[in-house]
């Protein structure tokens, strides 16, 4: 049977997502009650990081331990990956020694090549193009606070980066709309986002218009990891794309604010908004733990009801 990977959001169907969200809820409740649950006893997760991380490392490592397994942290600096060992060779070897792999890297192509040579499931922990685990957490957070996201409007303000691309994929799968506003020159590239079409998003020159009547307003850093050389230029180009109280005011009165973190107050979001009553950024961060535990359980054990 083919190995199931999670390399981009559309790798999971609506049915699979419904299962993962239901399991996230059960796993979260158990965790809150300090009830041990060890379905992945004796299983090992390898985590390969080519970029920095706080939340992704912590949530995968803690999550695997909580499920009874163990996690091994690898980075480019201390492994042969940083000395030019082919990705394909690394995949052959690593996937003979562990049960599941999470990778944070640069081009999506790198993780695709790794997965093609892996005997075990591979999870995308962020690439230049996508951040599917974060969107799983964001959707679960929305569902917890507001229920079904079908038919709702998400406003994306800022860079058309890995987070934006993944929101766009999720919109197609779960049938909601994304209103995107990026500065000129940073527009969505549907091909890079790997979309089925353009039916689920609309572009707005004015970020206020993107936020109008939105159920959720969300943004991310102006300069993603790997793009640091463009930082100075981006600071100027994105100056009018800070999510502030005025943008939240034109959204629906019950609109939520999300940010995958880390955030820069006074750049992509004002302190008033991210620290304000509509912000659910801490729930969003916590939910990385719960959804990824459900995801690893699904990829390794299938649709368990335990
Ligand atoms: N949101 C997120 O992925 O955070 P880290 O970069 O800290 O992992
Ligand atoms: N878009 C950001 C997300 C960080 C979690 C980046 O890629 O750096």
């Amino acid at each position: 049977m083919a190995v199931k990977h999670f390399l981009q959001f559309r790798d999971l169907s609506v049915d699979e997502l419904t299962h993962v969200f239901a399991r996230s809820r059960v796993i979260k409740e158990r965790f809150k009650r300090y009830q041990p649950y060890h379905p992945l006893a004796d299983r090992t997760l390898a985590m390969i990081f080519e970029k920095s991380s706080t939340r992704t490392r912590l949530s995968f490592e803690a999550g695997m331990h909580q499920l009874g397994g163990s996690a091994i942290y690898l980075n480019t600096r201390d492994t042969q990956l940083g000395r030019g060992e082919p990705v394909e060779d690394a995949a052959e070897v690593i996937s003979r020694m562990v049960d599941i792999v999470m990778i944070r890297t640069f081009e999506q192509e790198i993780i695709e090549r790794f997965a093609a040579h892996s005997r075990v499931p591979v999870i995308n922990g962020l690439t230049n193009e996508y951040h599917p685990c974060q969107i799983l957490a964001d959707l679960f957070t929305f569902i917890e606070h507001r229920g079904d996201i079908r038919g709702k409007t998400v406003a994306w303000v800022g860079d058309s980066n890995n987070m934006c691309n993944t929101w766009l994929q999720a919109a197609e799968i779960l049938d909601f709309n994304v209103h995107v506003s990026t500065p000129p020159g940073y527009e969505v590239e549907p091909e890079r986002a790997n979309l089925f079409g353009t039916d689920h998003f609309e572009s707005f020159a004015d970020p206020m218009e993107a936020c109008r009547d939105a159920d959720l307003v969300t943004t991310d850093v102006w300069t993603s990891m790997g793009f640091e050389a463009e930082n100075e230029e981006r600071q100027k180009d994105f100056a009018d794309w800070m999510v502030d109280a005025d943008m939240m005011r034109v959204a629906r009165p019950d609109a939520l604010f999300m940010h995958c973190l880390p955030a820069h107050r006074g750049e992509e979001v004002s302190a008033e908004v991210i620290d304000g009553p509509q912000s659910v950024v801490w729930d969003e961060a916590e939910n990385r733990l719960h959804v990824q535990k459900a995801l690893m359980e699904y990829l390794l054990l299938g649709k368990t009801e335990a």
Side-chain angles (χ1 to χ4, degrees), residues 52-56 104 131 134 225 260-262 288:
S52 305
S53 169
T54 298
R55 280 146 287 267
T56 304
R104 168 168 286 197
H131 198 1
Q134 183 68 54
M225 291 180 280
C260 67
L261 306 176
R288 290 291 299 278

Side-chain angles (χ1 to χ4, degrees), residues 8 21 36 45 47 68 146 161 175 177 211-212 215 248 284:
Q8 48 185 304
F21 291 141
L45 163 73
M47 307 182 294
R146 296 285 181 265
N161 62 11
D175 196 17
N177 307 303
C211 293
R212 195 169 298 284
D215 299 280
M248 293 307 294
E284 196 187 344

Side-chain angles (χ1 to χ4, degrees), residues 181-205:
S181 182
T182 65
Y186 297 92
E187 289 87 359
V188 168
E189 295 170 54
E191 230 167 84
R192 189 169 157 84
N194 198 16
L195 303 180
F196 293 115
T198 52
D199 293 353
H200 287 80
F201 82 93
E202 199 177 333
S203 300
F204 294 81

Side-chain angles (χ1 to χ4, degrees), residues 51 104 126-127 131 161-163 220-221 223-225 260-262:
K51 291 175 177 170
R104 168 168 286 197
L126 182 146
T127 57
H131 198 1
N161 62 11
N162 41 16
M163 283 292 297
D220 187 15
V221 292
T223 306
S224 287
M225 291 180 280
C260 67
L261 306 176

Side-chain angles (χ1 to χ4, degrees), residues 16-292:
E16 290 173 312
L17 287 165
T18 305
H19 172 80
V20 168
F21 291 141
R23 292 301 298 166
S24 302
R25 194 178 297 274
V26 171
I27 286 170
K28 181 172 182 175
E29 278 166 13
R30 266 187 197 151
F31 175 75
K32 297 286 177 185
R33 290 199 303 265
Y34 298 98
Q35 239 177 45
Y37 177 55
H38 296 152
L40 301 187
D42 296 329
R43 308 283 182 124
T44 307
L45 163 73
M47 307 182 294
I48 304 170
F49 283 92
E50 298 209 79
K51 291 175 177 170
S52 305
S53 169
T54 298
R55 280 146 287 267
T56 304
R57 177 179 178 179
L58 193 57
S59 52
F60 270 105
E61 192 163 338
M64 195 58 180
H65 284 295
Q66 290 161 15
L67 292 174
S70 53
I72 298 171
Y73 171 82
L74 302 169
N75 63 33
T76 321
R77 212 175 40 253
D78 307 325
T79 58
Q80 301 290 5
L81 279 165
R83 297 180 60 252
E85 180 165 19
V87 169
E88 291 79 3
D89 294 2
E92 293 284 354
V93 173
I94 292 169
S95 72
R96 284 180 184 223
M97 297 187 187
V98 301
D99 302 278
I100 188 163
V101 179
M102 184 243 85
I103 304 179
R104 168 168 286 197
T105 187
F106 292 89
E107 290 79 22
Q108 179 72 11
E109 186 225 340
I110 298 172
I111 199 169
E112 305 271 354
R113 280 166 51 206
F114 190 104
H117 288 262
S118 174
R119 292 183 170 198
V120 302
V122 178
I123 297 173
N124 182 344
L126 182 146
T127 57
N128 289 352
E129 286 82 359
Y130 309 116
H131 198 1
C133 292
Q134 183 68 54
I135 300 300
L136 270 188
D138 294 7
L139 288 164
F140 182 65
T141 307
F142 186 90
I143 294 165
E144 280 190 320
H145 283 270
R146 296 285 181 265
D148 197 359
I149 197 164
R150 185 179 301 270
K152 297 282 198 297
T153 298
V154 174
W156 175 269
V157 176
D159 192 16
S160 60
N161 62 11
N162 41 16
M163 283 292 297
C164 176
N165 287 340
T166 313
W167 270 115
L168 296 175
Q169 280 199 1
E172 288 189 328
I173 309 287
L174 294 172
D175 196 17
F176 60 91
N177 307 303
V178 186
H179 287 179
V180 182
S181 182
T182 65
Y186 297 92
E187 289 87 359
V188 168
E189 295 170 54
E191 230 167 84
R192 189 169 157 84
N194 198 16
L195 303 180
F196 293 115
T198 52
D199 293 353
H200 287 80
F201 82 93
E202 199 177 333
S203 300
F204 294 81
D206 180 353
M208 287 287 279
E209 290 313 309
C211 293
R212 195 169 298 284
D213 297 326
D215 299 280
L216 165 64
V217 176
T218 183
T219 186
D220 187 15
V221 292
W222 290 341
T223 306
S224 287
M225 291 180 280
F227 296 83
E228 288 80 2
E230 300 173 15
N231 190 40
E232 211 175 305
E233 205 178 324
R234 284 170 171 265
Q235 293 290 322
K236 286 186 238 134
D237 294 345
F238 283 79
D240 293 333
W241 273 262
M242 175 173 75
V243 174
D244 59 13
D246 289 339
M247 290 190 199
M248 293 307 294
R249 247 190 299 280
V250 297
R252 285 177 57 93
D254 66 344
L256 299 174
F257 172 78
M258 290 191 194
H259 188 311
C260 67
L261 306 176
H264 302 78
R265 289 168 176 77
E267 290 185 22
E268 73 274 7
V269 61
S270 69
E272 191 184 2
V273 169
I274 195 169
D275 299 320
Q278 287 166 283
S279 172
V280 290
V281 295
W282 311 130
D283 290 344
E284 196 187 344
E286 179 192 326
N287 281 334
R288 290 291 299 278
L289 176 70
H290 311 302
V291 297
Q292 288 163 194

